């Protein structure tokens, strides 16, 4: 295995500072170097004393393994330390500030976790008879009511498992509606602003539509004239994010909704940024036909690293009949699930997901809503916007804000402030890691050069934001003072330096093979 203290070999070390950071053991302070569990293991070592097994040779009909399985042999303290150290290498919202724009990495209140672990909820099984899970169905129904109320929309499909899955649900609902109108063959074009999250064009394309990109204005909003010029009888709809990925409210949204409807298309709103407006703006009032919510963003359930999320989709009256099964219904006898198309009195387009949605996320999201109440949710979105504007106000004289005026819950900078310094957005982000901050989102959205998109969320204190501001101002001053090399070397304090991220993604090595 490579020397733990070395960075990637083609990255120069930063002279004496890097030398000082090189240790004999490979550990740094009390952050210990950690080999793979297979490298530590030793054949024959074991954490438990097993009695000799009585092996019956014919039980497996000659299929018994001939060689050792190759499990690593470790003692109990070795195992405990290994996994504890691994857990400490992870950076999460519980470790520090995580201003990853477009991701809403807010605090996950512990009351949500308590509720999710309550016996009656934690021990539920999706295949148990609905008569024994009435409380769970009521919980889904209550959450659906909150979502419909916050959005002022008549229906919601609860089963999508993430934002992108919600987009799929929404676009499939639109496709089903177009089929019912007999226009699926002619309405084949989806309009998507160029600032959109990559999942938007990907979803439209996956559903068989051609994607037609709408340019942005210098104000960071949809170019409404360009949008209107693209309308025609072949347009199925628009996918618009509001607040958009530049962290700005699309002021022309009501006009856009009216124009797309007049042209016979549907309005898909990407509601991943609902965190900025929940309790203040109701998408139904803006003319939206369908919109996914990322419960794991707006309503604080843990996410990241591909973990579970939930992307319920609110639907207008025009699209509600096409919502997928299963869904909860409610009559005098209690709650039931409609599981099959044949049992539905509507026209569901089918089923998107096994079982009923992400129950663990539903529980946490409803706990968040109920513990905040309507006023608390409004306070949260207000504070999210306040925090982002605080960053903007305190950094705009030294860093380049991409668009003038107030932002919503995230603030977008570009790399003009780094011009002629030799420092790139990537270098700047790497230097932030040495300072103990998770970098912001970089190089997204694509509408500005070298984007730095920061989303503090409402759950950060002024103290945290002030330290972050002081750090970024300091780094900016260093970059402008000609200290480019210190950025090129960064990070110097991490267990690994600059990794070849492209190779890691393209050619992942997921399997350990013993050295010959
Ligand atoms: C996060 C996000 C998505 C995708 O949501 P996932 O839950 O990650 O699939 C889509 N659009 C926007 C604007 C987002 O921020």
């Amino acid at each position: 295995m490579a020397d733990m203290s070395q960075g990637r070999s083609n990255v120069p070390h930063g002279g004496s500072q890097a030398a000082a950071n090189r240790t004999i053991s490979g550990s740094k302070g009390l952050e210990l170097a950690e080999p793979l569990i297979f490298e530590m293991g030793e054949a024959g070592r074991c954490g438990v004393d097993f009695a000799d097994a009585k092996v019956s040779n014919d039980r497996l009909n000659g299929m018994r393994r001939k060689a050792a399985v190759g499990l690593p042999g470790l003692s109990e303290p070795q195992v405990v330390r290994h996994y504890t150290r691994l857990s400490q290498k992870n950076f999460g919202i519980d470790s520090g500030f995580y201003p990853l724009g477009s991701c809403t990495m807010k605090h996950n209140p512990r009351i949500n976790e308590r509720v999710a672990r309550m016996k009656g909820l934690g021990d539920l099984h999706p295949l148990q008879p609905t008569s024994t899970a009435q409380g769970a169905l009521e919980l889904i129904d209550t959450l659906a009511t909150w979502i419909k109320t916050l959005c002022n929309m008549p229906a919601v499909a609860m089963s999508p498992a993430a934002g992108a899955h919600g987009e799929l649900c929404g676009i499939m609902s639109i496709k089903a509606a177009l089929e019912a109108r007999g226009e699926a063959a002619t309405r084949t074009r989806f309009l998507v602003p160029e600032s959109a999250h990559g999942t938007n064009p990907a979803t439209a394309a996956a559903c068989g539509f051609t994607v037609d990109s709408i340019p942005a204005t210098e104000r960071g909003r949809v170019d409404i004239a360009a949008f209107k010029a693209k309308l025609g009888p072949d347009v199925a709809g628009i996918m618009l994010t509001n607040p958009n990925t530049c962290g700005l409210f699309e002021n022309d949204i009501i006009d856009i909704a009216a124009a797309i409807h007049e042209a016979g298309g549907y309005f898909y709103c990407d509601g991943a940024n609902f965190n900025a407006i929940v309790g203040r703006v109701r998408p139904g009032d803006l003319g939206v036909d369908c919109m996914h919510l990322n419960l794991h963003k707006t309503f604080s359930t843990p996410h990241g690293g591909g973990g579970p999320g939930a992307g319920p989709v609110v639907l207008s009256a025009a699209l509600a009949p096409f919502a997928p099964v299963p869904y909860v219904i409610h009559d005098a006898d209690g709650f039931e699930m409609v599981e099959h198309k044949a049992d539905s009195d509507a026209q569901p387009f089918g089923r998107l997901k096994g079982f009923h949605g992400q129950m663990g996320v539903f529980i946490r999201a409803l706990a968040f809503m109920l513990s905040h109440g309507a006023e608390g949710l409004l306070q949260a979105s207000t504070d999210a916007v306040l925090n982002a504007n605080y960053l903007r106000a305190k950094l705009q004289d030294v860093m380049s804000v991409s668009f003038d005026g107030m932002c919503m819950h995230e603030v977008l900078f570009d790399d003009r402030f780094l011009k002629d310094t030799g420092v790139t957005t990537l270098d700047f982000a790497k230097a932030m890691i040495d300072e103990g901050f998770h970098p912001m989102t970089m190089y997204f959205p694509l509408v500005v050069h070298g984007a730095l998109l920061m989303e503090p969320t409402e759950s950060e204190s002024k103290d945290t934001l002030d330290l972050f501001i002081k750090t970024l101002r300091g780094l900016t001053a260093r970059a402008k003072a000609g200290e480019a090399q210190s950025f090129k070397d960064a990070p110097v304090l991490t267990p690994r330096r600059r990794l070849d991220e492209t190779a890691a993604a393209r050619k992942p090595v997921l399997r350990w093979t013993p050295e010959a």
Side-chain angles (χ1 to χ4, degrees):
M1 143 159 257
D3 177 350
M4 307 287 295
S5 64
Q6 298 295 315
R8 200 179 67 184
S9 56
N10 60 354
V11 175
H13 280 264
S16 59
Q17 201 197 351
N21 288 327
R22 235 178 344 245
T23 58
I24 297 162
S25 65
S27 298
K28 285 180 178 164
L30 296 180
E31 177 162 1
L32 303 187
E34 191 62 14
L36 297 177
I37 198 163
F38 292 100
E39 293 169 316
M40 292 192 315
E42 209 170 274
R45 192 192 286 148
C46 190
V48 208
D49 290 329
F50 287 116
D52 283 344
K54 281 199 203 91
V55 182
S56 143
N57 276 336
D58 49 82
R59 190 169 61 93
L60 294 175
N61 198 20
M63 300 296 286
R64 236 176 96 197
R65 197 185 286 274
K66 304 273 185 305
V69 189
L71 291 178
L74 298 131
S75 69
E76 182 173 313
Q78 279 184 306
V79 172
V80 169
R81 283 188 180 159
H82 178 69
Y83 287 106
T84 305
R85 287 173 191 166
L86 287 188
S87 76
Q88 289 166 345
K89 292 196 191 303
N90 200 17
F91 187 90
I93 188 63
D94 293 343
S95 351
F97 187 40
Y98 204 142
L100 200 60
S102 204
C103 295
T104 313
M105 306 305 288
K106 63 165 90 170
H107 172 64
N108 314 126
R110 289 314 187 258
I111 180 135
N112 303 354
E113 301 304 318
R114 281 294 287 272
V115 176
R117 283 164 178 70
M118 280 164 61
K119 251 189 118 25
L121 294 171
D123 293 347
L124 277 170
H125 192 282
L127 289 178
Q128 73 189 66
T130 51
S131 62
T132 67
Q134 287 292 298
L137 298 189
E138 183 175 355
L139 188 148
I140 297 175
D141 194 59
T142 307
L143 176 60
T145 302
W146 272 78
I147 291 173
K148 287 184 286 186
T149 306
L150 289 169
C151 294
N152 191 29
M153 295 285 277
V156 59
M158 295 297 289
S159 67
H165 205 208
E167 292 173 36
L168 185 66
C169 176
I171 301 301
M172 287 178 81
S173 307
I174 289 174
K175 193 155 190 168
L178 289 173
E179 268 158 21
R181 277 161 54 177
E183 292 185 64
T186 50
R187 293 195 179 265
T188 53
R189 194 156 51 96
F190 246 98
L191 306 179
V192 183
E194 59 184 9
S195 65
H197 196 267
T199 49
N200 289 192
T203 302
C207 290
F209 293 99
T210 49
V211 175
D212 193 356
S213 178
I214 317 171
T217 63
E218 73 279 8
R219 290 180 59 245
R221 272 90 171 176
V222 164
D223 183 333
I224 183 125
F227 156 70
K228 285 188 175 165
K230 284 177 184 287
L231 291 171
D234 64 332
V235 168
I238 181 172
M239 291 184 88
L240 181 74
T241 308
N242 198 21
N244 69 22
T245 54
C246 301
L248 302 170
F249 195 85
E250 290 283 357
N251 315 94
D252 291 322
I253 187 164
I254 291 182
D255 254 14
I256 291 170
I260 194 77
H261 289 147
E262 197 178 321
Y266 292 98
F267 181 3
Y268 187 95
C269 185
D270 180 329
N273 294 334
F274 198 43
N275 199 51
I277 56 173
V278 62
R280 188 171 295 280
V281 176
R282 300 185 304 176
D285 298 341
L286 305 175
V288 165
D289 287 302
C290 57
M291 179 178 103
H292 75 264
L293 302 178
N294 298 55
L295 298 188
H296 47 292
K297 293 180 182 170
T298 307
F299 301 108
S300 85
T301 80
H303 61 289
V313 178
V314 289
L315 299 158
S316 64
L319 293 179
F322 306 101
V325 287
Y327 54 87
V328 177
I329 52 169
H330 179 199
D331 63 20
D333 299 332
F335 295 88
E336 261 309 321
M337 298 294 298
V338 176
E339 294 270 10
H340 304 287
K341 270 173 104 156
D343 301 333
S344 169
D345 42 24
Q347 303 148 263
F349 69 70
R351 174 184 278 271
L352 264 185
K353 189 180 185 314
F355 305 126
H356 317 122
Q358 304 279 48
M359 193 63 192
V361 176
F362 293 168
I363 298 165
R364 289 171 176 84
L366 185 62
F368 184 82
M369 291 173 178
L370 294 177
S371 58
H372 279 69
E375 283 171 21
L377 293 178
L378 174 61
Q379 179 81 53
S381 59
T382 307
D383 288 348
V385 172
L386 179 66
N387 277 357
N389 278 288
Y390 185 64
L391 292 186
R392 187 181 61 81
K394 293 284 187 183
L395 291 170
Q396 64 183 354
D397 60 326
V398 294
M399 296 175 71
S400 34
V401 182
S402 298
F403 301 106
D404 287 341
M406 296 272 284
C407 58
M408 300 299 290
H409 63 311
E410 53 195 352
V411 55
L412 178 61
F413 297 90
D414 52 54
D415 63 4
R416 281 171 298 155
F417 76 103
L418 294 172
K419 190 166 181 292
D420 301 330
T421 61
V423 176
T424 65
T425 293
L426 180 74
D427 300 330
F428 196 82
K430 296 294 183 193
M432 286 167 66
I433 297 174
D434 277 336
E435 299 286 345
F437 288 109
H438 192 288
M440 64 274 128
T441 289
M442 295 177 290
Y443 301 105
F444 174 81
L446 304 175
V447 290
V448 298
H449 196 268
L452 305 91
L453 182 64
M454 301 174 192
E455 180 178 4
T457 83
E458 72 275 14
S459 56
E460 294 304 331
S461 67
K462 182 167 177 296
D463 287 348
T464 300
L465 298 184
D466 283 337
L467 182 60
F468 182 68
I469 289 160
K470 183 177 160 199
T471 305
L472 292 202
R473 293 186 70 90
L475 288 176
T476 302
R478 248 184 230 171
K480 289 178 181 170
E483 294 181 35
Q485 193 57 45
S486 70
F487 287 85
K488 297 287 172 206
D489 291 338
V492 294
L493 300 175
T494 49
R496 289 291 186 279
R497 305 273 307 278
R498 290 215 191 178
L499 304 174
D500 186 340
E501 289 163 21
T502 312
R506 295 262 164 90
K507 297 181 199 151
V509 181
L510 302 176
R511 197 185 180 119
W512 176 78
T513 34
E515 271 170 46

